[in-house]
Every structure is written in structure tokens, then in C-alpha cells.
């Protein structure tokens, strides 16, 4: 049984006339008659009675008409879903992002995406760089956004933004008012850090290593699971910490944090996707929106 046979049967049943059904479908009368005969023969059921010069549905035909219409409606609904998914008319996009990106960089871009594609549902989950990469690997996320280096051959990473780490202390810290700070002095104070697996922590440790300063577990006053917890602890005087300029900005503006005069390197915000999984059109659209202006032009031209 095919969808075409169902369409033909419904057309004949609604018109109770083979010739008129054939005309409406753009088929020959013999093609329509053959399709109906094939259904009756295959299932050993008489669907129409010929009454004089007309035909009418049998009891079996009336029962089958209800089911045939339902099947055809479901098929048309399925076709509409594929059509809308292909044109961004509907769909779901699952995104995982590290905390800094999820809280400070991505929201404005998701708002713009929502305005452009209002029928696409975006589900965002926050974690650290390690958990985000794993979600993309496992297929739990269509796209991942991280600030830490990810080395996995199954993933591709593309820069979508830039950020800079800053070293900060609370307003009451002994180094808060200093215009110059020697690197060796930083090792004399306790530190507040993110948990292992955090991109901010790994990038901070790499940056400090490049500046010839190595901090060890014994130097940690606190190891905390979120940017906001780290910021609050530093504001309360727990020690020195490294964080994104985006995270530090509210405290710097309010005077509860002070930026140390240490030049920290910039870092990339990266979009992760699985190398062997095809990205949906919704995912591609979000990637284009998140790219810097120059990158957007390049992507659109391909």
C-alpha cells in the first residue's frame, strides 16, 4: 500500500466518480481504476459498489476512508516538519557553554537569534570546558562554547570571540592600591580559583606559567565551582583570583574589586562541534550569528 494509492482512493471516494477523480489528480482513468483495483485485490476487500452509472462506498470502504485520511494527514504533517526544519520554521537547538560564556557572552546573541528565528527552541546548559566538550562528544549538545583549550580529534573548534583574563583582589586587600606589583609578590598571597576542568582555571594557570609564576594547591584559599562564587570570595578578602574581564566588570565598576597591574594574555572563545555529525540549519544559523562581523561575511559567502 502506497501513499499514492491512498490519495487516489480518497479522491474517488470523495467524488464517487472515477473520471472526475482522475481529472482532479491529473491521471488517466485507467491509472485510477488500477490503483483502486490493486487495493481491493491485495486486501480481498470490496471498497466500492457500482450502482447504475455511479459508484458508492461499501461499509468496508467507509471504514477504510477514515483511516486513509488519517494516514495521509500524518504523512503531510511529517512532510511539513521536514520542510520547516529545512527552512528554520521550527526546531530545537541544544547548546552547552562554559559558565563565563553562558552567563556573560552568549545571552545577548541568543536574544538576537530568538528574534530572527522565533520558532526555534534553544536549550542552554552551563558547565565547565571539560563537561561541555564531553556533551558535544556524547551528542547531548549540538554546539558547545568554551574558553579553554580542547584537544580531541573528534571535535572541531572555531574562534567566535575574544576575551581577556584579569587578576583582581578585594578592596581591602594589601595589593589593592598598588600601582606596581612584582610577580614574585603574587606567590606570597592565597588564591581563589575555579574547579579543575574549568577553562578559566586552565587558562589562568597557563598564563601565569608564561609569566614565570606557578601557583600550587597549597596556595589556594578556596576552590569554588562558579565565577560568581570566586568573585564574591575575592570581594570578601579571601585572596587573589583570575577571571574574565566580563565577570570582573560589575565588581570593578562598584569598587568592590581592584584590578592588579599585571598584563594577562587574551584568550579565544571557541565553538565546538562534532567532526562526524552534521550540524542542523539552526546550529549553522547560530554559528553565523556568533561569528565576528568579518567571519559572518565569509560564512555567508560560502
Amino acid at each position: 500500500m502506497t501513499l499514492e494509492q491512498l490519495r487516489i482512493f480518497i479522491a474517488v471516494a470523495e467524488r464517487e466518480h472515477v473520471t472526475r477523480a482522475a481529472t482532479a489528480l491529473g491521471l488517466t482513468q485507467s491509472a485510477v481504476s488500477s490503483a483502486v483495483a490493486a487495493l481491493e485485490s491485495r486486501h480481498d476487500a470490496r471498497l466500492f459498489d457500482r450502482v447504475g452509472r455511479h459508484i458508492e462506498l461499501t461499509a468496508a470502504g467507509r471504514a477504510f476512508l477514515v483511516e486513509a485520511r488519517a494516514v495521509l494527514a500524518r504523512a503531510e504533517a511529517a512532510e511539513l516538519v521536514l520542510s520547516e526544519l529545512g527552512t528554520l520554521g521550527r526546531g530545537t537547538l541544544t547548546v552547552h557553554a562554559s559558565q563565563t560564556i553562558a552567563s556573560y557572552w552568549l545571552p545577548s546573541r541568543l536574544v538576537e537569534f530568538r528574534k530572527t528565528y522565533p520558532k526555534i527552541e534553544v536549550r542552554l546548559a552551563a558547565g565547565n570546558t571539560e563537561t561541555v566538550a564531553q556533551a558535544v562528544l556524547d551528542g547531548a549538545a549540538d554546539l558547545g562554547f568554551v574558553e579553554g583549550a580542547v584537544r580531541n580529534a573528534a571535535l572541531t573548534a572555531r574562534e567566535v570571540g575574544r576575551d581577556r583574563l584579569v587578576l583582581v583582589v578585594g578592596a581591602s586587600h594589601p595589593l589593592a592600591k598598588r600601582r606596581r606589583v612584582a610577580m614574585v609578590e603574587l606567590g606570597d598571597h592565597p588564591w581563589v580559583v575555579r574547579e579543575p576542568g574549568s577553562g578559566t582555571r586552565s587558562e589562568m594557570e597557563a598564563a601565569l606559567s608564561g609569566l614565570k609564576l606557578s601557583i600550587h594547591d597549597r596556595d589556594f584559599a578556596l576552590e569554588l565551582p562558579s565565577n560568581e562564587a570566586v568573585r564574591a570570595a575575592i570581594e570578601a578578602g579571601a585572596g587573589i583570583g583570575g577571571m574574565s574581564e566580563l565577570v570582573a566588570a560589575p565588581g570593578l565598576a562598584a569598587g568592590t574589586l581592584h584590578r592588579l597591574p599585571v598584563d594577562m594574555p587574551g584568550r579565544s572563545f571557541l565553538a565546538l562541534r562534532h567532526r562526524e555529525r552534521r550540524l542542523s540549519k539552526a546550529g549553522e544559523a547560530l554559528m553565523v550569528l556568533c561569528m565576528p562581523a568579518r567571519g559572518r561575511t565569509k560564512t555567508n559567502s560560502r
Side-chain angles (χ1 to χ4, degrees), residues 230-276:
V230 169
R231 185 176 65 198
I234 295 172
E235 288 174 332
I240 304 172
M243 62 184 64
S244 164
E245 282 184 322
L246 298 173
V247 178
L252 294 173
T256 56
L257 288 179
H258 286 265
R259 180 173 179 171
L260 296 180
V262 177
D263 189 23
M264 298 287 281
R267 62 177 181 171
S268 298
F269 285 163
L270 303 172
L272 301 180
R273 54 177 294 188
H274 199 287
R275 190 178 297 276
E276 296 180 354

Side-chain angles (χ1 to χ4, degrees), residues 200-213:
T200 294
R201 175 165 169 173
S202 63
E203 292 288 313
M204 183 191 71
E205 290 178 342
L208 293 177
S209 178
L211 295 172
K212 309 303 181 187
L213 176 65

Side-chain angles (χ1 to χ4, degrees), residues 49 69-70 97 135 139 162 173 176 179 189 208 213 223 229 240 244 252 258 301-302:
D49 282 327
R69 282 172 169 162
R162 296 287 297 171
H173 194 278
R179 293 188 176 182
H189 296 270
L208 293 177
L213 176 65
E223 186 177 273
I240 304 172
S244 164
L252 294 173
H258 286 265
S301 66
R302 280 189 287 184

Side-chain angles (χ1 to χ4, degrees), residues 70 75 126 191 211 271 288:
W191 286 71
L211 295 172
V288 170

Side-chain angles (χ1 to χ4, degrees), residues 46-285:
R46 190 175 183 85
L47 301 175
F48 295 97
D49 282 327
R50 181 169 291 278
V51 180
R53 305 179 67 178
H54 302 283
I55 60 172
E56 60 184 36
L57 285 166
T58 63
R62 287 192 294 272
F64 183 58
L65 179 60
V66 174
E67 300 301 327
R69 282 172 169 162
V71 170
L72 207 58
R74 292 300 303 157
E76 290 171 351
E79 186 176 14
L80 178 61
V81 167
L82 285 179
S83 175
E84 290 180 340
L85 289 172
T87 58
L88 295 172
R90 65 182 292 182
T92 301
L93 181 63
T94 302
V95 177
H96 285 220
S98 58
Q99 290 188 24
T100 302
I101 294 175
S103 299
Y104 298 93
W105 184 83
L106 194 54
S108 62
R109 290 160 175 82
L110 292 182
V111 169
E112 185 178 347
F113 181 85
R114 178 70 175 176
K115 289 178 180 177
T116 307
Y117 307 106
K119 297 296 182 66
I120 303 295
E121 178 187 356
V122 179
R123 298 172 180 169
L124 175 64
N128 60 35
T129 293
E130 190 175 276
T131 61
V132 170
Q134 191 61 51
V136 177
L137 281 170
D138 293 342
D142 301 304
L143 274 175
F145 292 91
V146 299
E147 70 270 7
V150 175
R151 296 176 179 85
N152 191 303
L155 300 177
T156 63
R158 185 169 185 179
E159 183 178 288
V160 291
R162 296 287 297 171
D163 183 37
R164 182 172 294 277
L165 290 173
V166 293
L167 296 184
V168 294
V169 294
S172 61
H173 194 278
L175 299 179
K177 305 299 183 180
R178 296 274 295 276
R179 293 188 176 182
R180 293 184 181 180
V181 176
M183 292 304 298
V184 67
E185 292 182 82
L186 300 180
D188 297 332
H189 296 270
W191 286 71
V192 182
V193 297
R194 283 283 305 277
E195 78 287 359
S198 158
T200 294
R201 175 165 169 173
S202 63
E203 292 288 313
M204 183 191 71
E205 290 178 342
L208 293 177
S209 178
L211 295 172
K212 309 303 181 187
L213 176 65
S214 178
I215 56 175
H216 305 282
D217 291 352
R218 65 177 181 272
D219 301 317
F220 298 164
L222 291 169
E223 186 177 273
L224 299 171
S226 73
N227 292 317
E228 289 68 31
V230 169
R231 185 176 65 198
I234 295 172
E235 288 174 332
I240 304 172
M243 62 184 64
S244 164
E245 282 184 322
L246 298 173
V247 178
L252 294 173
T256 56
L257 288 179
H258 286 265
R259 180 173 179 171
L260 296 180
V262 177
D263 189 23
M264 298 287 281
R267 62 177 181 171
S268 298
F269 285 163
L270 303 172
L272 301 180
R273 54 177 294 188
H274 199 287
R275 190 178 297 276
E276 296 180 354
R277 295 192 185 104
R278 185 172 181 177
L279 191 60
S280 67
K281 287 188 178 294
E284 291 175 352

